[in-house]
Amino acid sequence: MTPPRHIAIIMDGNGRWARERGLPRIRGHEEGAESVRAVLRACGEAGVEFLTVYAFSTENWKRPEAEVAALMGLLEHFLKQETPELMAQNVRLQAIGRITDLPEACQRELHRAIETTAKNTGVTLILALSYSGRIEIIDGLRSLVRAVREGHIDEAMIDPEMFSQHLYTRSFPDPDLLIRTSGEMRISNFLLWQMSYTEIYVTPKLWPDFRKEELLEALRDYSQRQRRYGGV
Ligand code: FPP
């Protein structure tokens, strides 16, 4: 079975997982970070090349200040603590989104981890941080308009391939498989342009309960799909 080259994940249900156990929401996010570790390792074993996880959306800034601070703290901790493990697993770290929105300490750790892992040749783990699909498209449009205005490209040359080159994801292939946990049937402003032909897999499992076995089940489901890209 050929695995998907690129898997994107909407990691939903951390809050519900914590509530079901009478725990604070941040405990759900901490367990969610464990799932990221487990799924990343399983992706490496399965031969998946790119894994993009929706770790923080632009909409998430509207959450209570304490939860935002806790998530940023968790991210900083993950980046600091996980870098040796990323090196051991030959994982290359990348990020998409408006990274400059993040607290300075997070940005520092992120850039350091990206630089440290830059030459690794295994799975590319892409963190979507302060990410919005619509904002990404607008940022891409701005960059394209600038290129036309400065005379680098002719307006008539603009096509989907060229536009893709102006997005945050310019150096990654489009996702083959989107996994969304905790049952909701929504895209939630994630990789809107890139998911035109992505297969969608939704599971009722909450993200902290999604580990290797659940990933393998998603891969089995994907292997049954027939992708036609609008053809026959
Ligand atoms: C959605 O669950 C999850 C998030 C908004 C954050 C995802 C973050 C992590 C999994 C941990 C940090 C990631 C890394 C890479 C270290 P929710 O809170 O919306 O859950 P609910 O819908 O049940 O309330």
Side-chain angles (χ1 to χ4, degrees):
M1 148 181 135
T2 342
R5 263 192 95 190
H6 183 174
I7 298 181
I9 307 187
I10 300 177
M11 313 184 284
D12 200 8
N14 296 347
R16 271 160 283 181
W17 183 93
R19 195 173 59 227
E20 281 174 4
R21 288 161 179 78
L23 297 169
R25 291 178 59 83
I26 187 63
R27 279 290 301 122
H29 296 312
E30 284 167 6
E31 277 303 304
E34 270 312 311
S35 291
V36 173
R37 291 184 182 95
V39 167
L40 174 62
R41 201 170 310 119
C43 278
E45 289 162 9
V48 173
E49 293 172 59
F50 299 86
L51 172 65
T52 302
V53 293
Y54 207 176
F56 199 86
S57 71
T58 48
E59 288 77 20
N60 289 153
W61 292 113
K62 290 186 258 173
R63 293 192 175 203
E65 218 176 290
E67 183 171 346
V68 170
L71 274 167
M72 291 299 141
L74 184 60
L75 176 68
E76 193 187 325
H77 178 77
F78 178 90
L79 292 167
K80 256 190 204 146
Q81 194 193 283
E82 212 59 17
T83 305
E85 185 56 31
L86 298 179
M87 291 307 289
Q89 285 182 46
N90 195 20
V91 171
R92 178 173 71 120
L93 187 75
Q94 293 278 287
I96 54 172
R98 289 226 172 140
I99 302 307
T100 51
D101 290 350
L102 302 175
E104 293 227 341
C106 269
Q107 291 188 46
R108 247 195 327 272
E109 286 305 321
L110 185 64
H111 288 130
R112 191 196 44 74
I114 288 175
E115 252 173 58
T116 310
T117 62
K119 294 210 163 67
N120 288 346
T121 55
V123 182
T124 299
L125 171 65
I126 304 157
L127 301 180
L129 295 167
S130 197
Y131 177 85
S132 149
R134 286 184 170 179
I135 299 276
E136 177 181 27
I137 290 171
I138 289 172
D139 281 348
L141 193 60
R142 285 210 179 96
S143 148
L144 207 51
V145 166
R146 206 177 314 120
V148 171
R149 203 184 288 137
E150 290 170 2
H152 302 305
I153 53 170
D154 190 288
E155 188 186 323
M157 286 157 56
I158 299 173
D159 63 6
E161 284 66 39
M162 179 179 287
F163 188 61
S164 297
Q165 288 307 307
H166 289 261
L167 296 173
Y168 308 147
T169 50
R170 63 182 72 81
S171 45
F172 316 128
D174 288 343
D176 301 292
L177 174 64
L178 169 72
I179 297 174
R180 179 166 188 147
T181 56
S182 89
E184 251 96 41
M185 306 277 188
R186 291 194 283 273
I187 302 280
S188 299
N189 205 4
F190 193 35
L191 301 172
L192 296 179
W193 171 273
Q194 296 86 343
M195 293 214 282
S196 296
Y197 293 101
T198 299
E199 295 292 326
I200 300 178
Y201 176 85
V202 177
T203 167
K205 287 262 178 184
L206 304 177
W207 176 248
D209 293 325
F210 193 97
R211 300 281 161 97
K212 179 177 179 171
E213 202 35 62
E214 288 71 26
L215 179 81
L216 294 178
E217 182 53 41
L219 292 180
R220 276 193 288 275
D221 188 283
Y222 174 84
S223 71
Q224 307 298 315
R225 310 275 180 106
Q226 279 186 12
R227 304 184 69 192
R228 290 193 295 270
Y229 301 95
V232 288

